[in-house]
Amino acid sequence: MYKVKISLIALAIAGIQLNAEAQRKTVNQRVDSVMRLMTLDEKIGQLNQYSGREVTGPLVKQNANMLNDIRQGKVGSMLNVQGVQNTRHVQEEAMRSRLKIPLLFGMDVIHGYKTIFPVPLAESATWDMDLIRLSAHIAAKEAAAVGLHWTFAPMVDVARDPRWGRIMEGAGEDTYLGNDIARARVLGFQGDKLGGLDAVMACAKHFAAYGAVSSGRDYNDVEMSEHQLWETYLPPFKAAVDAGAATFMSSFNTLNGVPTAASNYLQRDILKGQWKYSGFVVSDWGSIDQMIKWGYVPDKKQAALKAIISGCDMDMMSYSYIEHLKELVNTKQVSIKLIDDAVKRILAKKFELGLFDDPYRFCNEEREKAELNNPEHVKATLKVAQRSIVLLKNEASILPIQNSFKKIAVIGPLADSKRDMQGAWAGANDADRVVTLLSGLKQKIGNGVQITYTKGSTIKTNDTTGFAEAVKVAKDADLVIMALGEAYDQSGESRSRADIGLPGSQDQLFSAVQATGKPVVAVLMAGRPLIFSNIAAKANAILYAWFLGDQAGNAIADVLTGAVNPSGKLPVTFPRSVGQIPLTYNDYKTGHPYNSNVFQYQTGYIDVPNAPRYAFGHGLSYTTFKYSDLKLDRSTMRKNGKITASLTLTNTGTRAGEEVVQMYIHDPVASVVQPTKKLKGYGKVALEPGASTTIVFIINAETLSFYNQQLKWDAEPGKFKVMIGSASDDIKLQADIELQ
Ligand code: NOJ
């Protein structure tokens, strides 16, 4: 019976593969049939992308040149044209071209289109791939309903420097978690299959190593060893390829001296060569042209030459391809084969999206209206927001708010600020949809509790005129909730900060309020880890609320009141000082190990400890969990074998709660020095008070592998340490295993 089942499944899988293969063939045949009709100009046109801010919208000036290029088949894609009416209008222009090849419409739908979800770094704190996938899927549904075919997301850059403003756009510092999140987001955006009306093409960006820009300054250079590139920065891109990401975007940095849009190594050797990637690569905005500024090429023609030869298929907004590729082909500096390959990749996606069958299939006013006002989307963003919140500190279990607090003061410039809650890259956001912390609390706090609000300060300025009122309000309260942090435009692209403390006079405001002696709960909002030593030391409780999107206030109020038990865990290390950056939990070992008893000759500082303020994986709950009974089914294995590790997790508190159980591995002796620990497994589980469950991790050769000196992914025989805990700095159970 078992055998019969297996062979039926095998047949079914083979059937699906045959089907996919047949579809690919059909797409290829259809692409070839169009290619045969195309002139060189029309082919080059497919590789050209313009921004449509100037061509759409009733109030915006129409750009005659751009429209003319579209009509002549000189444009393959438009970005920033959105809305059924606008996309239809611009697509109609494309339908006036000789071959009527439909345009692709793309936009940065990063964490929601109309319904704004928590920023990606916040969502990553859920460690919940189903939720992350759901959020991407809803963003895709809304985007596809307004005529879009393509989002420039997910950003899968590993980011370890919180000064870099774009850390908010990714999954944080860890490669293993980053791989899973890359996969979840790609699958979420692309749905079951490209071509569905609820799916858009994903774009894994920014290829590659953009998260490691030196000094955290946006667009800066990246100098990186091959080992670091392969071990830490490339895997999430590979995960995106494996998940079927339709497109890739190159980055705004040079990698070891080469602009990535001109990197043969990245685009041809690795992506299209070793990884056999069949999608297409778009440059980042104007980055082909920027090769001139780098001093990499003398002029635009050379920039176009470098980019096309190196495997960049589409030029976003630098006009280099449209202006120079024809001459480069005619003078035989660029082979027509390269052009054809790029065009085929782009046309294939247009076929897969069904645009050749109906160029307007994503343009439907009714669907647009329904999807943008879908109440299910609001529920989903609330759920994701609730689970993104990280409880960093909760002295004497002051939270959830107790019934004895009858007068609550809400103070701070972020307490009632709608737009800031949506964070950067907020799609086609509508700030009026946002529920702020103040309004959320007012709705959720029971009758009989008085809430008094005062702003106290602005977010960014040094103004202190509101302090006196804030102190007065605090003095009159039983509990103070302070909403402090960054403005939405202080993280994101081009928003690097050298000082990642609280901006303006907010820290002083906190001190003034805290000096009243009233218990203070700090709710911190930002797109990055902030440094807040004063608050970390003196606040009674701290919730890290990032930028949580449209339902921010309801989500925070749910956690403050205990309707929701916080379960977020940090996807990134929170340093205590800017001087520690970059700081990660998985630092490499050194010959002078850090040991707080020894003052000298250790890998550390003489003025601050090595430990972060809050470690990767940290996050408290209103309940407590006990880890016990770690068992291995065996302690030695061969390369083709596996070890099953199981443990018991018990909710020892009085409330239901969720815990993210984390498994770290350490390889004590290896041919390449290894980090002190690497995340290699995790699981999020919900438990009722008093309940226990068994958590199981499988350890195999993959779990134990690393890139060796030959850059081969391999596991070396020897001993390994398995560590299981509730944070990278809170290991509860350990065991030794051996690979034979
Ligand atoms: C520049 C950004 O780096 C990239 O992430 C984005 O997708 C493009 N602009 C298009 O807006």
Side-chain angles (χ1 to χ4, degrees):
M1 182 58 198
Y2 191 59
K3 271 191 188 155
V4 172
K5 253 195 200 159
I6 298 245
S7 53
L8 280 179
I9 291 169
L11 272 178
I13 291 173
I16 290 168
Q17 279 167 353
L18 269 180
N19 210 0
E21 188 51 34
Q23 268 175 4
R24 222 182 345 263
K25 269 199 187 144
T26 325
V27 166
N28 288 343
Q29 281 162 1
R30 294 184 77 186
V31 167
D32 287 342
S33 69
V34 177
M35 295 278 296
R36 280 196 285 276
L37 306 174
M38 293 173 84
T39 62
L40 177 58
D41 281 317
E42 284 162 339
K43 287 179 179 175
I44 293 168
Q46 287 305 304
L47 316 186
N48 184 31
Q49 186 188 53
Y50 288 149
S51 170
R53 287 216 178 92
E54 291 176 277
V55 285
T56 55
L59 299 175
V60 189
K61 193 173 106 232
Q62 300 257 320
N63 184 324
N65 291 340
M66 248 181 220
L67 288 175
N68 207 27
D69 279 0
I70 293 173
R71 281 179 214 127
Q72 288 182 29
K74 287 187 174 171
V75 185
S77 169
M78 297 291 292
L79 75 149
N80 298 330
V81 178
Q82 47 174 314
V84 164
Q85 206 191 340
N86 288 331
T87 50
R88 179 186 291 280
H89 162 69
V90 179
Q91 194 70 291
E92 275 165 2
E93 299 294 337
M95 290 305 113
R96 291 167 67 184
S97 65
R98 190 179 76 95
L99 291 177
K100 304 190 186 339
I101 299 177
L103 290 164
L104 286 174
F105 293 109
M107 184 179 156
D108 292 279
V109 180
I110 307 294
H111 53 110
Y113 177 77
K114 185 59 84 185
T115 309
I116 303 302
F117 281 76
V119 296
L121 186 62
E123 280 187 359
S124 305
T126 64
W127 295 52
D128 184 328
M129 298 311 126
D130 291 341
L131 280 188
I132 290 173
R133 189 170 168 168
L134 175 72
S135 141
H137 187 57
I138 289 175
K141 267 173 81 184
E142 293 188 3
V146 301
L148 291 168
H149 313 129
W150 184 13
T151 176
F152 304 123
M155 184 187 97
V156 304
D157 296 303
V158 169
R160 301 180 155 188
D161 190 332
R163 292 172 300 181
W164 189 50
R166 300 195 81 167
I167 197 169
M168 52 98 14
E169 234 181 291
E173 77 185 38
D174 187 60
T175 305
Y176 184 88
L177 186 61
N179 289 346
D180 282 0
I181 293 177
R183 197 174 301 121
R185 291 199 168 124
V186 168
L187 294 174
F189 286 130
Q190 298 193 167
D192 294 335
K193 181 169 159 287
L194 223 51
L197 289 172
D198 59 350
V200 291
M201 295 195 295
C203 181
K205 71 187 191 186
H206 306 81
F207 197 53
Y210 184 34
V213 283
S214 55
S215 322
R217 287 205 298 269
D218 208 359
Y219 319 126
N220 214 357
D221 67 292
V222 175
E223 286 293 313
M224 181 178 286
S225 72
E226 281 293 294
H227 172 247
Q228 179 78 306
L229 181 68
W230 282 91
E231 186 76 36
T232 306
Y233 289 86
L234 288 183
F237 287 99
K238 178 63 166 56
V241 170
D242 293 343
T247 70
F248 259 56
M249 186 187 291
S250 55
S251 52
F252 270 145
N253 55 287
T254 52
L255 177 60
N256 300 331
V258 180
T260 60
S263 173
N264 207 66
Y265 177 53
L266 285 174
Q267 300 175 119
R268 290 220 185 271
D269 289 358
I270 298 176
L271 182 62
K272 294 177 178 176
Q274 294 182 43
W275 295 351
K276 299 188 170 44
Y277 182 61
S278 62
F280 72 86
V281 183
V282 63
S283 77
D284 203 341
W285 183 297
S287 68
I288 298 182
D289 198 16
Q290 287 164 15
M291 287 183 214
I292 303 169
K293 292 195 183 135
W294 271 302
Y296 190 68
V297 291
D299 54 38
K300 225 168 168 175
K301 199 201 298 177
Q302 292 299 311
L305 175 67
K306 292 277 185 201
I308 193 76
I309 285 184
S310 315
C312 174
D313 302 303
M314 187 180 275
D315 171 3
M316 181 191 283
M317 278 307 281
S318 91
Y319 296 78
S320 305
Y321 281 6
I322 198 70
E323 287 171 13
H324 297 290
L325 279 187
K326 188 172 183 186
E327 187 193 340
L328 287 167
V329 173
N330 287 339
T331 54
K332 307 231 172 325
Q333 293 177 74
V334 169
S335 149
I336 186 70
K337 280 196 186 134
L338 289 188
I339 307 284
D340 283 352
D341 176 62
V343 176
K344 277 184 187 170
R345 288 168 182 269
I346 294 163
L347 291 184
K349 296 301 161 206
K350 295 186 176 183
F351 273 110
E352 285 172 36
L353 285 161
L355 295 176
F356 277 97
D357 302 318
D358 176 3
Y360 305 108
R361 59 192 298 261
F362 294 90
C363 299
N364 176 316
E365 265 92 2
E366 270 165 38
R367 198 166 55 238
E368 177 176 51
K369 211 167 147 202
E371 289 299 355
L372 300 193
N373 295 293
N374 187 334
E376 290 305 312
H377 299 182
V378 179
K379 279 191 208 157
T381 185
L382 173 63
K383 190 165 178 196
V384 180
Q386 289 164 338
R387 280 161 177 78
S388 301
I389 296 169
V390 185
L391 178 62
L392 294 177
K393 176 178 179 185
N394 193 15
E395 215 172 63
S397 299
I398 189 163
L399 289 178
I401 297 171
Q402 294 138 30
N403 292 338
S404 53
F405 295 129
K406 294 294 175 214
K407 286 178 166 181
I408 297 178
V410 176
I411 299 172
L414 281 144
D416 201 25
S417 172
K418 290 184 168 219
R419 175 62 188 91
D420 290 304
M421 294 306 90
Q422 296 177 318
W425 286 122
N429 69 311
D430 173 0
D432 285 342
R433 292 184 173 211
V434 172
V435 178
T436 64
L437 168 57
L438 182 65
S439 56
L441 259 185
K442 280 185 175 161
Q443 282 168 44
K444 309 257 167 172
I445 289 276
N447 289 336
V449 178
Q450 181 196 318
I451 294 181
T452 320
Y453 161 68
T454 186
K455 197 167 166 185
S457 73
T458 65
I459 298 176
K460 294 181 186 171
T461 71
N462 290 327
D463 186 18
T464 56
T465 48
F467 283 23
E469 177 66 13
V471 167
K472 190 168 150 241
V473 167
K475 277 187 177 157
D476 193 37
D478 305 324
L479 175 74
V480 183
I481 295 170
M482 293 195 75
L484 306 170
E486 289 184 323
Y488 79 92
D489 59 359
Q490 289 184 298
S491 51
E493 186 181 348
S494 191
R495 295 290 185 265
S496 294
R497 293 178 63 206
D499 174 356
I500 54 171
L502 286 173
S505 57
Q506 294 182 76
D507 200 45
Q508 282 169 270
L509 174 66
F510 170 81
S511 293
V513 169
Q514 199 270 336
T516 61
K518 295 296 165 122
V520 179
V521 173
V523 179
L524 302 181
M525 302 170 184
R528 57 155 62 82
L530 292 172
I531 291 178
F532 44 91
S533 310
N534 186 27
I535 294 178
K538 295 186 188 146
N540 298 75
I542 305 171
L543 280 188
Y544 214 75
W546 320 96
F547 291 131
L548 292 175
D550 290 353
Q551 286 292 310
N554 281 335
I556 300 168
D558 283 339
V559 169
L560 287 171
T561 56
V564 168
N565 192 347
S567 61
K569 298 273 188 178
L570 295 179
V572 62
T573 302
F574 276 45
R576 51 179 81 222
S577 148
V578 170
Q580 293 176 304
I581 297 170
L583 182 64
T584 70
Y585 79 92
N586 62 354
D587 275 351
Y588 284 88
K589 287 189 296 184
T590 75
H592 291 225
Y594 185 77
N595 169 351
S596 47
N597 298 320
V598 182
F599 185 63
Q600 287 184 66
Y601 310 128
Q602 56 183 353
T603 308
Y605 307 96
I606 57 171
D607 54 349
V608 281
N610 275 10
R613 178 69 64 200
Y614 299 106
F616 174 83
H618 172 75
L620 305 172
S621 165
Y622 294 152
T623 188
T624 46
F625 295 99
K626 185 172 147 221
Y627 287 64
S628 63
D629 226 4
L630 176 60
K631 285 194 195 111
L632 306 178
D633 66 340
R634 57 171 63 83
S635 58
T636 57
M637 62 179 251
R638 294 191 184 279
K639 261 198 184 169
N640 57 0
K642 62 172 193 215
I643 292 175
T644 305
S646 61
L647 65 127
T648 305
L649 182 76
T650 308
N651 181 344
T652 46
T654 51
R655 287 171 177 269
E658 284 176 275
E659 171 73 326
V660 179
V661 178
Q662 301 157 41
M663 176 178 76
Y664 297 88
I665 297 281
H666 175 54
D667 185 348
V669 181
S671 64
V672 173
V673 170
Q674 291 298 298
T676 47
K677 43 174 97 77
K678 293 197 232 178
L679 180 74
K680 286 292 170 179
Y682 61 90
K684 191 164 188 172
V685 273
L687 282 180
E688 291 299 317
S692 292
T693 191
T694 305
I695 312 276
V696 177
F697 291 108
I698 305 290
I699 299 160
N700 55 25
E702 175 69 18
T703 324
L704 307 178
S705 293
F706 59 88
Y707 282 98
N708 64 21
Q709 291 189 33
Q710 288 69 44
L711 291 180
K712 193 170 161 249
W713 179 250
D714 198 14
E716 291 177 355
K719 292 196 163 37
F720 293 82
K721 198 167 269 311
V722 179
M723 295 166 275
I724 295 176
S726 72
S728 62
D729 67 345
D730 189 9
I731 299 302
K732 311 271 194 192
L733 303 166
Q734 341 199 345
D736 293 322
I737 59 168
E738 190 173 342
L739 176 68
Q740 289 177 329

